[in-house]
Amino acid sequence: KSGTAKPWSFFDESVSVGGRVLRAMRGNNSDRKFSDIARVEAKRRIIIKRTEESFWRSLLHWHGTCLALIARDPLFWTTIIIFIAIRIWLHVGNVPSFIVVLAGADVGVIGGFLSFFLVFYVSQCYGRFNTQYGFSMSCEGRIFDAATIAVNILPRENGLRLIRYMNAAHIAGYVGLSKDYPHSTFFTEINSHNMFLTEAEHNRMMEINMDVGGSCYRELIAWAFSEVQTAVNQGLIKEPLVARELRDLILRLRGSLGGLFDYDDQPVHFFYVHFISILTLIYLPLFALSTAVSAGSGEQTYWLSDVIAFITIVLQDIFFIGLRLLGQNMSKPYGSDYEDLSVMHYINFTWRMSNRILLSKLPTPLSRDQEFDILAKRDSVGEPWMNHEGARDPEVVVLDAEEDAGTAGAREVVEETGRN
């Protein structure tokens, strides 16, 4: 009634039903500093390279490992405390009979079922992780393809603007997708260096609100699409197939970014996550209790048995808690964890490489003599391919033919003279 409502507010993703309403409720994390994002990104790129290290050296790390996550999980310390308390109790006296009864429960069956469900859960999350990584790489590839066509077809200024819009859509997609990459710090800082958008274009994005949903990247895609149509109307693109290919690349970029939002809108079913959490919460304390009682009591208590039983508890915790945390981290790969995907690297790398393509120094005009000279000097690709006429300079082939014809004519004259 006041006239201040935006015409699209009814359909705004910040108030829509479904998954995106959660993003609006949890905030956009606008207070996250750019320096913090850059620090995590730098550490993330270092951790990626650790897969090439030796077995023993890989065990010396803490950040980016399962131990760093397990050590912060309350369930891990709960099982440790239960085990230690029961063992002390058994060393100094007898535990109540109901504790022994509980310890005698067949927890191995529960562990077997839980192992199956956890492995299936992690496998599903790993598949989602790889698919979303593929979408990110597809975004890079489509921008590179468009830049390769633009540098050969469009005037320099038209190509620069087209690729600038596509790069802007690339980063805008991540900003709207994840609260860990806020517009106020992440986009603003990178835009000040890479100049994705002019001040007027940036103001338009601020009106839409880049932090919420994909409206900004979709509008930037429309801008890029409009650049192709303008080039066609001005006669800068004369071949319909070239215009069609550019439009297809822009739409495929939109499709890849849209795929990320699709996965964000429909995560792994909460029912399944809750089911695994409940089983883990019940199983691990029972296993700790059972292992502690089984390690012996009274005169049957030995410190070596205590140590072995403690190691068993730790290994069990690492397996079950580690798998659960691994699945949770991979299910949302565009966050602030060290295990998440390198969004800042993708954006900067794509911007840098696409502009290098646009600013490529094209080779000198074709020289026939140079090409056939190179062909004659390089290693042979095989005698059947190097000895026919198509593998030699046509002019040389003609001269050779004339020389062969002259030689044949002289031979006929000599032979005729000899007969006479």
Side-chain angles (χ1 to χ4, degrees):
K1 293 181 181 179
S2 62
T4 58
K6 298 177 182 179
W8 58 82
S9 59
F10 181 77
F11 301 99
D12 195 342
E13 288 151 308
S14 62
V15 295
S16 65
V17 297
R20 293 187 178 91
V21 70
L22 298 177
R23 189 185 305 114
M25 293 171 60
R26 70 193 182 199
N28 57 16
N29 203 14
S30 59
D31 58 343
R32 191 182 183 208
K33 297 180 180 179
F34 182 81
S35 58
D36 295 334
I37 302 174
R39 176 183 55 81
V40 172
E41 183 74 11
K43 188 70 174 180
R44 189 179 287 152
R45 300 304 298 175
I46 294 174
I47 292 175
I48 288 177
K49 304 299 181 182
R50 290 178 181 170
T51 56
E52 303 171 0
E53 295 179 352
S54 64
F55 169 77
W56 294 109
R57 184 173 179 81
S58 65
L59 296 177
L60 301 177
H61 298 291
W62 178 258
H63 293 295
T65 67
C66 64
L67 300 180
L69 297 177
I70 294 173
R72 298 196 300 266
D73 194 283
L75 184 57
F76 170 75
W77 296 108
T78 300
T79 58
I80 297 297
I81 291 172
I82 290 175
F83 174 81
I84 294 176
I86 296 297
R87 290 310 302 161
I88 293 175
W89 205 345
L90 288 170
H91 274 278
V92 300
N94 294 324
V95 298
S97 59
F98 75 90
I99 296 292
V100 178
V101 173
L102 288 175
D106 189 6
V107 296
V109 177
I110 302 176
F113 280 110
L114 182 56
S115 299
F116 171 78
F117 288 122
L118 272 173
V119 171
F120 182 78
Y121 169 67
V122 172
S123 176
Q124 185 179 15
C125 293
Y126 186 73
R128 292 171 57 90
F129 183 92
N130 275 343
T131 301
Q132 292 179 77
Y133 172 75
F135 282 137
S136 291
M137 293 302 98
S138 177
C139 291
E140 290 187 9
R142 302 300 72 75
I143 295 175
F144 292 160
D145 292 345
T148 303
I149 295 176
V151 70
N152 289 282
I153 301 297
L154 295 174
R156 181 62 55 84
E157 61 274 14
N158 294 78
L160 288 170
R161 185 170 179 176
L162 171 63
I163 301 305
R164 183 165 62 84
Y165 286 161
M166 294 182 73
N167 275 291
H170 188 205
I171 184 174
Y174 289 122
V175 172
L177 177 71
S178 174
K179 64 183 180 62
D180 293 294
Y181 298 98
H183 165 267
S184 59
T185 55
F186 181 69
F187 180 86
T188 303
E189 179 67 22
I190 293 184
N191 188 60
S192 66
H193 295 283
N194 298 350
M195 290 300 296
F196 293 120
L197 299 174
T198 65
E199 183 177 357
E201 293 165 349
H202 191 190
N203 290 337
R204 171 58 182 165
M205 294 297 105
M206 293 176 66
E207 290 179 4
I208 301 174
N209 190 359
M210 190 179 291
D211 283 315
V212 180
S215 296
C216 283
Y217 93 80
R218 295 186 194 100
E219 181 150 332
L220 288 165
I221 289 293
W223 291 3
F225 207 89
S226 177
E227 286 299 308
V228 176
Q229 188 59 44
T230 300
V232 172
N233 295 339
Q234 295 176 353
L236 302 177
I237 300 178
K238 298 180 173 60
E239 298 181 13
L241 290 178
V242 173
R244 178 180 177 180
E245 182 64 23
L246 281 174
R247 294 189 184 105
D248 182 63
L249 291 172
I250 295 171
L251 292 179
R252 288 166 66 188
L253 172 62
R254 188 221 60 78
S256 296
L257 290 171
L260 298 180
F261 280 84
D262 292 340
Y263 272 87
D264 181 68
D265 188 62
Q266 180 56 65
V268 178
H269 290 291
F270 173 71
F271 182 94
Y272 197 82
V273 176
H274 183 265
F275 176 69
I276 290 176
S277 300
I278 286 291
L279 285 180
T280 307
L281 179 63
I282 296 174
Y283 169 72
L284 288 179
L286 279 178
F287 182 82
L289 179 63
S290 176
T291 304
V293 173
S294 301
S297 61
E299 296 181 355
Q300 302 298 321
T301 56
Y302 303 97
W303 289 109
L304 180 60
S305 298
D306 292 342
V307 172
I308 294 176
F310 178 78
I311 294 175
T312 303
I313 293 296
V314 173
L315 288 176
Q316 197 80 338
D317 285 346
I318 290 176
F319 179 78
F320 287 99
I321 299 177
L323 281 179
R324 176 174 56 83
L325 294 176
L326 175 63
Q328 289 177 354
N329 281 14
M330 288 193 300
S331 64
K332 289 284 186 179
Y334 298 101
S336 58
D337 298 322
Y338 290 134
E339 302 79 23
D340 291 330
L341 295 176
S342 305
V343 171
M344 183 182 292
H345 170 73
Y346 300 158
I347 291 169
N348 286 327
F349 179 80
T350 305
W351 170 82
R352 186 179 296 110
M353 295 302 113
S354 60
N355 278 274
R356 285 182 181 181
I357 293 173
L358 284 176
L359 301 176
S360 299
K361 182 180 179 181
L362 300 180
T364 57
L366 175 65
S367 170
R368 183 195 63 201
D369 295 338
Q370 182 184 46
E371 293 303 320
F372 279 99
D373 183 58
I374 293 173
L375 178 63
K377 292 180 179 179
R378 70 187 184 190
D379 291 344
S380 173
V381 297
E383 186 174 342
W385 290 270
M386 298 299 293
N387 288 338
H388 64 87
E389 295 181 359
R392 292 183 290 168
D393 189 337
E395 290 190 359
V396 175
V397 172
V398 172
L399 292 176
D400 290 345
E402 293 177 352
E403 181 179 353
D404 293 342
T407 302
R411 186 181 303 109
E412 291 178 359
V413 171
V414 171
E415 292 176 354
E416 183 67 21
T417 303
R419 285 195 297 269
N420 292 335

